């Protein structure tokens, strides 16, 4: 029997509740989902800087002075879950567009 959180209560999930949750989950784009297997160390600053240079981004100059996690946050390629930075699935999209930029996916 599945349970869900409704406001401050944990209740047995009705069929309608499950359907609504599946519907909401399917609306979040894959690229915006956090990859729970990925870590911040899976990303390489040199590859990100190369990508930024190739697309003539203003962040190339800033990337030398920014903390790596802050740069990744500005690029929106990481998010934090349980106080740990994790890579989003967006890195796979970048990999498909130009595989030289990011290392092999997990």
């Amino acid at each position: 029997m599945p349970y869900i959180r409704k406001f401050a209560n944990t209740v047995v999930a009705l069929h309608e509740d499950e359907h609504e949750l599946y519907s909401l989950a399917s609306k979040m784009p894959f690229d915006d989902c956090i990859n729970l297997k990925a870590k911040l160390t899976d990303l390489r600053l040199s590859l990100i800087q190369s990508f930024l240079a190739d697309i003539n981004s203003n962040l190339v100059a800033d990337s030398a002075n920014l903390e790596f996690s802050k740069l990744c946050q500005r690029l929106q390629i990481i998010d934090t879950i349980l106080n740990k930075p994790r890579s989003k699935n967006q890195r796979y999209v970048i990999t498909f567009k130009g595989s030289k930029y990011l290392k092999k996916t997990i």
Side-chain angles (χ1 to χ4, degrees):
M1 185 175 296
Y3 291 86
I4 61 168
R5 293 286 295 177
K6 271 196 171 181
F7 305 104
N9 302 315
T10 301
V11 296
V12 175
L14 303 173
H15 179 70
E16 296 82 23
D17 296 327
E18 288 184 72
H19 182 70
E20 181 182 0
L21 286 173
Y22 286 126
S23 175
L24 290 171
S26 68
K27 291 180 182 176
M28 177 179 263
F30 176 78
D31 298 353
D32 290 337
C33 294
I34 295 174
N35 183 336
L36 296 175
K37 294 180 182 178
K39 298 178 183 89
L40 190 60
T41 55
D42 293 327
L43 300 172
R44 299 285 179 259
L45 177 60
S46 60
L47 297 175
I48 291 171
Q49 288 173 325
S50 176
F51 173 74
L52 293 172
D54 283 355
I55 63 169
N56 298 318
S57 172
N58 293 335
L59 280 176
V60 174
D62 295 343
S63 67
N65 301 321
L66 279 175
E67 183 181 325
F68 183 63
S69 62
K70 298 291 183 198
L71 173 65
C72 292
Q73 286 174 339
R74 285 189 60 187
L75 291 168
Q76 299 179 4
I77 57 174
I78 67 167
D79 208 343
T80 304
I81 186 166
L82 299 175
N83 294 325
K84 294 182 182 178
R86 296 287 183 179
S87 175
K88 290 184 180 180
N89 288 325
Q90 288 177 334
R91 72 189 192 113
Y92 296 116
V93 174
I94 294 172
T95 300
F96 291 133
K97 289 181 180 175
S99 60
K100 70 179 185 176
Y101 295 116
L102 298 172
K103 75 178 206 170
K104 185 178 176 183
T105 57
I106 297 174

